[in-house]
Amino acid sequence: MGERPRVVVSVGASADGKVALARDALLMREPSSKLWAALSPKAADFVDVIEVLKAQYGCNAFLEGSGSLVAEDEAPSDLPAYDGDANELYEHFLPADIVGQVSPPHMWFMVVDSRGRVRWTENHENWDALVLVSRATPADYLAYLRRERICYLVTGDDRVDLPAAIAALGTEVGITCILSTAGGGLNGALLRAGLIDEVYVTVLPALIGGLGTPSVMDGTPLAAGEPATRLELLSVHTDTGGTVRLHYAVADRQSA
């Protein structure tokens, strides 16, 4: 359908770069959700990055890692065993009536979940889930997604091949702009794969600390002598609540 989608990372972080209160303290669950919300004072001049990206790029998809929804030590509920031909499951599942919706207003909520850990329990108007899986994802999970009519894309052998998955989201689904609101692990993987085009960092007036607490970019460290990814500052916005929003373009993307 189209070219590789633009990938924009948008993260809220404390002044010391933390994106969570502690490891495995999921921000989508209480009490962490309320505690995190309290770090960002409400201000009349607050700017909603999501609305900015919708207007600027027609951004129509959000990306999260499974770790944002399921704690690492949490055991998901068992699924019925699949006793059919598993080979047929390892093809993209993209029903035409779902993929063909006008987007936006139709929006995508996408999760990287090669291990098949997320159980989908919510349904919101004008939103559909899309799961990025691999050929190592359990067949039972893929059968579950098909029964629930949840779209998925299959790339990679042992884990999701992020460059191939992002490209397929453009060609197979027609997604033009992806907003990653994920944690440091997935954002770090996007960084190492050279997939990030722009970054919004919303710096909250708070300090968290804690060795091992997730940061804006985690994942694989730089190799010895490997340079950092350079950024070009595009804008700075401060509001009366003490929040600072930094908007960067990846420098190599700008010069490419």
Side-chain angles (χ1 to χ4, degrees):
M1 291 183 184
E3 299 178 354
R4 177 180 84 74
R6 180 183 297 270
V7 177
V8 181
V9 170
S10 178
V11 292
S14 62
D16 54 336
K18 306 298 185 182
V19 297
L21 298 168
R23 184 160 298 281
D24 284 339
L26 302 186
L27 294 185
M28 292 187 180
R29 297 182 184 175
E30 294 186 6
S32 296
S33 57
K34 289 184 177 179
L35 291 170
W36 188 265
L39 301 182
S40 181
K42 300 302 180 184
D45 52 350
F46 171 78
V47 173
D48 189 333
V49 173
I50 295 171
E51 294 305 318
V52 170
L53 290 171
K54 281 184 180 179
Q56 187 171 0
Y57 300 127
C59 199
N60 53 354
F62 287 70
L63 179 65
E64 287 282 356
S66 61
S68 296
L69 304 175
V70 184
E72 188 61 34
D73 60 355
E74 184 176 342
S77 59
D78 291 335
L79 296 171
Y82 182 71
D83 58 2
D85 180 5
N87 290 326
E88 65 184 13
L89 299 176
Y90 292 91
E91 302 288 340
H92 301 332
F93 181 66
L94 302 169
D97 61 316
I98 300 176
V99 175
Q101 297 177 80
V102 177
S103 182
H106 178 257
M107 300 288 289
W108 293 99
F109 183 78
M110 306 184 304
V111 172
V112 178
D113 190 15
S114 186
R115 291 183 290 169
R117 291 170 50 77
V118 178
R119 303 294 182 263
W120 299 89
T121 58
E122 296 188 23
N123 186 17
H124 299 279
E125 186 178 3
N126 289 329
W127 285 84
D128 276 290
L130 194 160
V131 188
L132 304 182
V133 298
S134 73
R135 282 175 281 277
T137 302
D140 296 350
Y141 186 68
L142 300 182
Y144 156 73
L145 294 179
R146 290 193 177 225
R147 286 195 304 272
E148 297 296 322
R149 286 183 54 78
I150 295 172
C151 297
Y152 63 81
L153 280 170
V154 184
T155 62
D157 293 324
D158 299 324
R159 63 187 64 187
V160 174
D161 182 328
L162 284 173
I166 297 299
L169 290 170
T171 57
E172 302 289 338
V173 186
I175 290 172
T176 58
C177 174
I178 297 169
L179 179 63
S180 174
T181 54
L186 179 52
N187 285 336
L190 292 170
L191 174 69
R192 292 290 179 257
L195 293 170
I196 299 175
D197 297 293
E198 297 182 27
V199 181
Y200 284 87
V201 181
T202 302
V203 183
L204 309 175
L207 295 170
I208 294 174
L211 182 65
T213 301
S215 63
V216 173
M217 295 282 167
D218 290 327
T220 306
L222 288 171
E226 184 179 3
T229 299
R230 293 171 45 252
L231 302 175
E232 177 186 341
L233 182 64
L234 298 181
S235 68
V236 178
H237 175 84
T238 60
D239 66 32
T240 53
T243 297
V244 180
R245 190 193 72 193
L246 305 170
H247 179 200
Y248 295 99
V250 173
D252 292 343
R253 290 266 181 255
Q254 289 292 94
S255 60

